[in-house]
Amino acid sequence: MAGLTARLCRERAAADGLGSNGNAVKYLQQDYEALKRRCLQTGTLFKDEEFPACPSALGYRDLGPYSFKTQGIVWKRPTELCANPQFIIGGATRTDVCQGELGDCWLLAAIASLTLNPDILFRVVPKAQSFQKDYAGIFHFQFWQYGEWVDVVVDDRLPTKNGKLLFVHSEEGNEFWSALLEKAYAKLNGSYEALAGGSTVEGFEDFTGGISESYELRRAPSNLYQIIQKALRAGSLLGCSIDITTTAEIEAITSLKLVKGHAYSITGAEEVYYRGRPEKLVRLRNPWGEVEWTGSWSDNAPEWNYVDPKQKQALDKQVDDGEFWMAFSDFQRQFSRLEICNLTPDTLTSNKVNKWDLTLFNGQWRRGSSAGGCQNYQATYWTNPQFKIRLDEPDDDHAGGANEPCCTILVGLMQKNRRRQKRMGEGLLSIGYSLYQIPPELENSTDVHAGRAFFARHQPAARTDPYVNLREVSSRMTLPRGHYLIVPSTFEPYKNGEFCLRVFAEKQVKSQTMNDEVSAKPYEPHVDNKDIDDEFKTLFQKLSGEDCEVTATELQRILNRVLAKRKDVKSDGFNINTCREMISLLDTDGTGTLGLVEFKTLWMKIQKYLAIYKKVDSDYSGTIDSHEMQNALREAGFRLNDEVQHSIVARYACSTKLTIDFDGFVACMIRLETLFKVFHLLDKDKNGVIQISLPEWLCCTLI
């Protein structure tokens, strides 16, 4: 209950702009400005109780409290390590990021790449932080986390051994921004050890909020040059590298002065006319060095003598030291891999770039309700979360024909918080998604979760293949205009997890979470005294006694006696609370008991629910599993979203077998009827929103 309430509060805050680039969420409710002000007023240095300088911050296994690697570690502030500590000296540079005794080189590469783009760097590393002016032992950094920006506060106590920093450090020796950034990221992920092993792309995304795509240049699509040009126009970050086969090749220089195993950035892509024909060129930057390409189209190559002087001069003006041009064909031959980090609209500061349109969905896979697994599991696949997008506007330079203009989208599926869960033994799930084109006759079914029959008849228009255990899987696709359904899933069913699904599009996308509608049209039998036959009246008089009213205790005895005779359904018997709720639902005169008409109405409801229960019990086991429960709810007239489905499984399904006995099923139906009835009574304006006082809330929830 508390977790659901907290999530609802977060969703409402996000709707008001919290978590955006300009209004970051305060991680663990720690307010940097307020904490710093308090320290300055009291003359004390900040000590972070949320991430204390103790063994638990280091790790849980290799860096656990009893590991030899953590022996002799002392936490010290920079003021204790050198005479004149500085936050940043002369601007942040690559040499500020040197690896220590932690396997997080992937993170260091991402941090080092940040130094190439000051706008993005200072989004992550806020300015006006210092060891001199208003120093209070407190610093803060900002990271993107699954759709929102968070502000993370740390103190400046850093792990040291023999008087030297244990992890990330600067060549300068007295510069500490990178070490404190690493500490903030470790806090966000639970410990320093949680950072061991990863992908540079993961760091890039957490520093920018972007979505990444990767291309092996030997197998690149035919329109890769167009992709690069569009990415540059959209302000994306582009990097490339040459693969190595042995550690000895790291930083090895080829005969044409390219460095292996080294990150280059792509800063331009232009076409020139060379000897009367177009030639595709790309501009690269070697961020750390004077070593530059010496092949065709390098700085003083003869090819430039055959280019229009005005065009050559214009391109020369765009090249800084360390940058060089090369033919796109040479680029594809010489380099192994291209990675593009496409930035979100709120990360980009320039108004000149062609920004992507971003759509973000948050969702959960929950064992027993929405963790349906991949298409191999036909019985449960349809229960996965589903999201609908509508592509109306084609690209400005679409690849389709005149009769079939196309739309480019990037779809990324990212699983949440798995790095934090490493200490509990939880690894990354194998994830993927499929995208289905919705046929015209179903386009107007805007709020109906597609069922098993839909997926039996339709094949995906696009999909990720194979399922992989990465934090994010993403792919670029070009699709005809139309309506599409995206189904994200784990490979195997019954795997719990949270995710965010992002759709980047060149044009605006209309979107919707399927099954959003919450409504009820339960079976309501119309019973009149004269419609009840004499046999039923005689039976009722016998069961109810002299007062001709059935109490909760009597109702429990009656129903369980009937249930005990049935061999086609399994049940532990109705409990007294369920019987009280049945009476509460149907007690029209407020006596706390059921009269003849009320009892007949309840009896007809139970008969209806029995028929539904048996219909969805596909294996005739006498119980229904939690996925069959979704069909049963539909049959009973209830349309519920994923959150409500999760709550039903948590409350009514067996925690091990995920099965629901008949008494639990009826209890759920009666509970839902009661809740809908109370809500509609309080919804005076019939607008789907109620205002309720605390006493009213307590009365409703205590029914």
Side-chain angles (χ1 to χ4, degrees):
M1 182 71 174
L4 176 60
T5 304
R7 187 159 58 250
L8 290 173
C9 290
R10 286 199 303 271
E11 289 172 0
R12 290 180 181 180
D16 293 333
L18 184 65
S20 63
N21 195 290
N23 186 18
V25 174
K26 293 175 176 58
Y27 186 61
L28 300 178
Q29 287 79 53
Q30 290 180 295
D31 186 317
Y32 169 73
E33 295 294 345
L35 290 169
K36 182 177 180 179
R37 188 164 53 249
R38 192 179 308 150
C39 289
L40 291 172
Q41 288 171 350
T42 58
T44 58
L45 294 179
F46 178 61
K47 290 186 177 181
D48 187 3
E49 300 300 328
E50 298 290 350
F51 196 59
C54 67
S56 65
L58 294 173
Y60 45 88
R61 190 173 54 242
D62 292 345
L63 292 177
Y66 304 107
S67 168
F68 74 92
K69 293 183 180 180
T70 60
Q71 303 306 308
I73 289 179
V74 179
W75 295 79
K76 292 187 176 183
R77 297 185 189 268
T79 51
E80 301 173 273
L81 292 171
C82 61
N84 184 30
Q86 300 290 321
F87 188 64
I88 293 180
I89 300 175
T93 64
R94 188 267 307 185
T95 58
D96 299 346
V97 190
C98 302
Q99 189 169 2
E101 296 183 29
L102 184 62
D104 62 348
C105 58
W106 62 275
L107 177 62
L108 274 58
I111 296 174
S113 296
L114 274 182
T115 63
L116 304 177
N117 191 318
D119 284 343
I120 295 176
L121 171 71
F122 291 113
R123 181 67 187 82
V124 177
V125 186
K127 294 181 179 180
Q129 301 193 79
S130 168
F131 286 96
Q132 285 73 42
K133 183 181 179 182
D134 292 334
Y135 169 66
I138 184 171
F139 295 85
H140 70 131
F141 301 86
Q142 297 194 349
F143 306 101
W144 180 89
Q145 288 285 281
Y146 317 117
E148 63 182 19
W149 286 90
V150 294
D151 188 86
V152 182
V153 169
V154 289
D155 64 32
D156 62 349
R157 294 177 292 176
L158 297 166
T160 70
K161 188 176 281 190
N162 301 321
K164 295 183 178 179
L165 290 178
L166 189 64
F167 301 132
V168 167
H169 55 279
S170 167
E171 276 188 2
E172 296 285 344
N174 66 331
E175 187 176 23
F176 292 95
W177 73 269
S178 58
L180 292 166
L181 172 61
E182 181 190 43
K183 180 175 182 178
Y185 199 61
K187 176 180 178 179
L188 187 65
N189 286 283
S191 68
Y192 277 95
E193 187 173 353
L195 305 184
S199 162
T200 300
V201 163
E202 183 178 342
F204 250 134
E205 290 182 336
D206 285 353
F207 295 154
T208 66
I211 186 172
S212 295
E213 48 185 326
S214 181
Y215 297 95
E216 289 185 38
L217 294 177
R218 301 291 184 273
R219 297 187 293 175
S222 58
N223 64 334
L224 182 65
Y225 192 73
Q226 184 187 39
I227 290 172
I228 290 173
Q229 287 183 312
K230 283 189 174 184
L232 290 167
R233 289 200 297 269
S236 304
L237 304 179
L238 290 83
C240 56
S241 60
I242 303 172
D243 286 348
I244 59 173
T245 53
T246 65
T247 54
E249 287 188 293
I250 296 177
E251 303 294 316
I253 300 174
T254 70
S255 59
L256 294 172
K257 302 299 183 185
L258 294 176
V259 185
K260 292 186 175 182
H262 182 68
Y264 287 79
S265 53
I266 298 176
T267 59
E270 301 283 351
E271 282 194 43
V272 299
Y273 269 88
Y274 170 66
R275 290 181 168 176
R277 59 179 176 82
E279 179 78 45
K280 294 181 174 68
L281 303 181
V282 290
R283 186 176 67 226
L284 279 74
R285 182 183 184 194
N286 178 354
W288 336 132
E290 307 130 1
V291 181
E292 284 191 19
W293 163 252
T294 57
S296 300
W297 298 98
S298 56
D299 285 0
N300 298 305
E303 287 81 7
W304 290 107
N305 297 327
Y306 299 93
V307 174
D308 180 274
K310 290 183 179 179
Q311 190 173 25
K312 178 181 184 300
Q313 184 181 14
L315 295 182
D316 279 346
K317 284 181 179 178
Q318 298 174 29
V319 177
D320 297 323
D321 187 37
E323 286 186 301
F324 56 87
W325 292 96
M326 66 189 303
F328 180 62
S329 55
D330 282 335
F331 166 74
Q332 287 190 286
R333 280 192 293 268
Q334 298 291 334
F335 283 85
S336 311
R337 189 172 309 280
L338 167 68
E339 290 180 332
I340 303 175
C341 185
N342 302 281
L343 303 184
T344 57
D346 71 340
T347 300
L348 294 161
T349 55
S350 172
N351 291 320
K352 297 179 181 179
V353 299
N354 300 325
K355 298 178 181 179
W356 289 92
D357 178 77
L358 170 62
T359 302
L360 183 141
F361 303 101
N362 284 294
Q364 302 175 70
W365 297 296
R366 281 290 172 262
R367 180 174 173 266
S369 60
S370 60
C374 70
Q375 294 96 322
N376 296 349
Y377 303 91
Q378 296 180 10
T380 56
Y381 177 69
W382 68 275
T383 65
N384 282 303
Q386 300 174 11
F387 306 95
K388 184 179 180 181
I389 60 171
R390 193 172 99 199
L391 306 177
D392 290 333
E393 299 180 68
D395 304 345
D396 292 332
D397 53 352
H398 61 80
N403 296 325
E404 192 182 28
C406 291
C407 312
T408 297
I409 61 171
L410 266 168
V411 181
L413 172 64
M414 180 182 291
Q415 48 188 316
K416 295 183 180 182
N417 303 315
R418 304 305 291 191
R419 191 173 286 279
R420 283 189 65 85
Q421 294 163 2
K422 283 171 71 173
R423 67 165 61 233
M424 281 84 80
E426 295 285 346
L428 288 166
L429 299 168
S430 290
I431 60 172
Y433 60 82
S434 293
L435 185 144
Y436 300 82
Q437 184 159 18
I438 300 173
E441 64 270 19
L442 297 178
E443 286 180 353
N444 293 326
S445 301
T446 56
D447 52 13
V448 178
H449 195 93
R452 181 174 178 176
F454 174 87
F455 298 105
R457 294 193 303 266
H458 297 88
Q459 291 299 310
R463 65 197 295 180
T464 51
D465 192 36
Y467 279 67
V468 290
N469 58 337
L470 296 175
R471 185 177 79 152
E472 182 175 53
V473 294
S474 64
S475 58
R476 176 186 292 253
M477 54 194 75
T478 303
L479 301 165
R481 290 182 296 182
H483 297 239
Y484 294 88
L485 192 69
I486 306 176
V487 183
S489 73
T490 56
F491 179 74
E492 296 178 318
Y494 305 107
K495 299 289 185 183
N496 287 329
E498 294 184 81
F499 65 85
C500 66
L501 180 74
R502 296 184 289 166
V503 180
F504 279 54
E506 292 196 8
K507 298 291 184 177
Q508 188 174 15
V509 170
K510 295 180 174 62
S511 61
Q512 179 183 3
T513 301
M514 299 302 283
N515 205 27
D516 247 349
E517 179 193 12
V518 176
S519 63
K521 291 183 180 178
Y523 172 58
E524 295 291 356
H526 297 287
V527 181
D528 196 282
N529 204 339
K530 62 179 183 294
D531 297 329
I532 304 174
D533 60 64
D534 292 339
E535 184 180 350
F536 191 89
K537 289 179 180 177
T538 302
L539 177 63
F540 177 75
Q541 289 170 354
K542 181 180 177 181
L543 294 172
S544 60
E546 293 182 3
D547 59 357
C548 288
E549 294 285 334
V550 174
T551 65
T553 304
E554 289 170 333
L555 180 61
Q556 182 185 28
R557 185 169 60 249
I558 294 166
L559 294 179
N560 287 342
R561 189 182 300 165
V562 173
L563 207 55
K565 296 177 182 179
R566 300 199 68 101
K567 304 302 180 185
D568 53 348
V569 294
K570 292 183 179 178
S571 172
D572 295 327
F574 290 100
N575 64 45
I576 191 65
N577 288 330
T578 299
C579 294
R580 287 170 179 155
E581 192 156 349
M582 291 178 185
I583 291 175
S584 176
L585 175 66
L586 295 166
D587 177 21
T588 56
D589 53 11
T591 62
T593 58
L594 296 180
L596 173 62
V597 173
E598 295 163 337
F599 182 77
K600 177 65 175 180
T601 304
L602 174 63
W603 186 256
M604 292 178 70
K605 279 183 174 290
I606 292 175
Q607 291 296 110
K608 177 69 172 179
Y609 290 141
L610 176 63
I612 293 171
Y613 189 81
K614 292 183 66 178
K615 180 179 178 179
V616 300
D617 178 15
S618 55
D619 58 359
Y620 306 104
S621 62
T623 65
I624 60 174
D625 66 35
S626 54
H627 291 285
E628 291 172 328
M629 181 67 167
Q630 297 190 37
N631 287 326
L633 287 163
R634 288 188 179 191
E635 290 280 344
F638 294 104
R639 299 285 181 188
L640 306 174
N641 64 18
D642 285 343
E643 289 286 357
V644 181
Q645 302 273 12
H646 299 333
S647 300
I648 287 173
V649 171
R651 177 161 181 171
Y652 293 101
C654 168
S655 59
T656 52
K657 297 179 181 178
L658 292 177
T659 55
I660 300 170
D661 289 350
F662 181 64
D663 58 286
F665 174 68
V666 174
C668 177
M669 296 298 105
I670 296 297
R671 183 67 172 160
L672 283 172
E673 284 199 45
T674 302
L675 292 173
F676 273 99
K677 180 181 178 181
V678 170
F679 185 91
H680 290 312
L681 286 172
L682 294 173
D683 184 10
K684 306 294 186 185
D685 299 326
K686 306 304 176 188
N687 61 358
V689 177
I690 62 173
Q691 286 187 314
I692 190 168
S693 68
L694 180 58
E696 288 173 329
W697 163 255
L698 292 173
C699 288
C700 292
T701 54
L702 287 172
I703 288 175

